[in-house]
Amino acid sequence: MVTARHEAAHRIFQDRPELLSPVFRILGVPLPPKVEVDVLSADATEIRPLERRVDSVLRIA
């Protein structure tokens, strides 16, 4: 069962993707100084009868 805490953790980065950079820095994950983060669709279904669900999809460029 999905909890409110789980959903909130994803919603933070979906609504404020610019927060990802300082979080990565705290975790010791190197990112370029000027990084762009885009929120993408989390729909991972395909034409074939195969369904994949993800909570958040972020592109870091």
Side-chain angles (χ1 to χ4, degrees):
M1 180 174 169
V2 178
T3 64
R5 182 178 182 179
H6 173 91
E7 288 300 312
H10 289 282
R11 183 64 68 184
I12 288 169
F13 296 113
Q14 290 170 353
D15 291 348
R16 302 276 310 276
E18 68 274 9
L19 294 176
L20 193 61
S21 183
V23 169
F24 272 34
R25 189 170 43 254
I26 290 168
L27 295 173
V29 177
L31 288 175
K34 294 253 182 183
V35 68
E36 183 178 319
V37 179
D38 299 313
V39 178
L40 305 176
S41 171
D43 183 3
T45 58
E46 298 179 8
I47 294 175
R48 294 180 290 137
L50 171 66
E51 186 173 319
R52 295 185 186 112
R53 295 189 183 262
V54 294
D55 293 319
S56 295
V57 179
L58 303 172
R59 180 180 60 197
I60 301 171

